[in-house]
Amino acid sequence: QQQVKQSPQSLIVQKGGISIINCAYENTAFDYFPWYQQFPGKGPALLIAIRPDVSEKKEGRFTISFNKSAKQFSLHIMDSQPGDSATYFCAAGGSNFGNEKLTFGTGTRLTIIP
Amino acid sequence: NAGVTQTPKFQVLKTGQSMTLQCAQDMNHNSMYWYRQDPGMGLRLIYYSASEGTTDKGEVPNGYNVSRLNKREFSLRLESAAPSQTSVYFCASRTGTGALGTEAFFGQGTRLTVV
């Protein structure tokens, strides 16, 4: 049972372009939606996160858009750079006692070409 | 500050052998997690521990057992390894409460091969 669905599985974007990755979740108890970035041979690291009380969060070139009614959220990477080439995971979970589960999507391998 | 430390980093097992993957965190986090990462499958939750003394099943718990030894340590045991358990295993921790500390910190992973 896939509680967090992520697409696309892989993405190739030209340098300077916009990379967009989408996720959908099922459990309405989730109240924390992070995106993680992983480089080969390393563990995932937090990139940016959002809570359902806001529809958008921006940190530098990275933006999360959140649609609570559709139970969907997406990551936008503006002015994509070769150094952004990595695997990206969305996740959904809880942030309070009794709601600590954190479930990840299947990942998107992003390649930025010159 | 070490963060989340996993041992070993690499392991080869024969089918039917048992082993324990160790994980320790030094951030005083309440919640700890074990995931496995397989190509095309993403990070799948095996077990998690919301706090010391509690453990809960994730998406793929079959064939695994866990122990939350204390607040710092959360181990994953394979009683009788199978080739289907060949994977990269990640341990993670976070406080899991409120606006602060929701970030999950990951270890460097254990690459396990079962032959």
Side-chain angles (χ1 to χ4, degrees):
Chain A
Q1 182 184 358
Q2 189 70 40
Q3 290 197 7
V4 180
K5 296 182 179 179
Q6 182 173 347
S7 63
Q9 190 171 6
S10 63
L11 181 63
I12 299 174
V13 175
Q14 220 156 15
K15 179 182 175 182
I18 302 173
S19 304
I20 301 174
I21 305 170
N22 300 297
C23 277
Y25 64 98
E26 297 177 358
N27 191 338
T28 54
F30 291 151
D31 64 352
Y32 174 64
F33 302 91
W35 284 90
Y36 279 76
Q37 181 187 55
Q38 184 184 32
F39 293 104
K42 302 293 186 182
L46 181 69
L47 187 64
I48 185 172
I50 197 168
R51 292 183 177 276
D53 52 347
V54 296
S55 60
E56 186 176 281
K57 183 174 181 179
K58 183 176 181 179
E59 291 184 0
R61 296 184 294 110
F62 302 92
T63 300
I64 298 179
S65 296
F66 186 82
N67 185 329
K68 187 175 181 179
S69 61
K71 293 190 287 186
Q72 295 175 347
F73 57 111
S74 60
L75 175 69
H76 292 63
I77 305 175
M78 312 299 288
D79 187 26
S80 299
Q81 299 296 312
D84 297 330
S85 296
T87 299
Y88 292 80
F89 293 96
C90 62
S95 60
N96 299 297
F97 282 120
N99 191 21
E100 293 88 353
K101 194 173 183 179
L102 188 61
T103 303
F104 284 77
T106 51
T108 297
R109 177 170 290 185
L110 174 65
T111 303
I112 307 301
I113 56 175
Chain B
N1 203 352
V4 179
T5 303
Q6 290 183 236
T7 55
K9 287 185 171 51
F10 301 92
Q11 184 71 48
V12 178
L13 287 180
K14 293 182 178 179
T15 297
Q17 285 186 318
S18 62
M19 80 160 294
T20 300
L21 280 65
Q22 307 286 353
C23 176
Q25 52 92 7
D26 60 3
M27 296 172 282
N28 201 35
H29 284 168
N30 291 319
S31 302
M32 297 185 73
Y33 307 78
W34 276 106
Y35 295 90
R36 60 178 288 174
Q37 183 173 17
D38 304 290
M41 304 292 285
L43 290 159
R44 292 183 292 170
L45 182 63
I46 304 171
Y47 272 94
Y48 68 105
S49 170
S51 60
E52 186 178 354
T54 69
T55 60
D56 285 285
K57 294 179 181 180
E59 303 165 71
V60 289
N62 292 342
Y64 304 96
N65 286 303
V66 291
S67 296
R68 184 73 183 268
L69 305 170
N70 47 55
K71 193 171 185 178
R72 290 187 64 249
E73 298 172 288
F74 188 39
S75 62
L76 178 72
R77 183 161 178 84
L78 287 70
E79 291 291 351
S80 179
S84 61
Q85 294 177 306
T86 293
S87 187
V88 180
Y89 291 84
F90 285 100
C91 177
S93 72
R94 65 176 183 142
T95 66
T97 57
L100 297 176
T102 49
E103 176 179 354
F105 292 83
F106 283 79
Q108 291 296 296
T110 295
R111 187 174 295 273
L112 175 67
T113 302
V114 183
V115 298

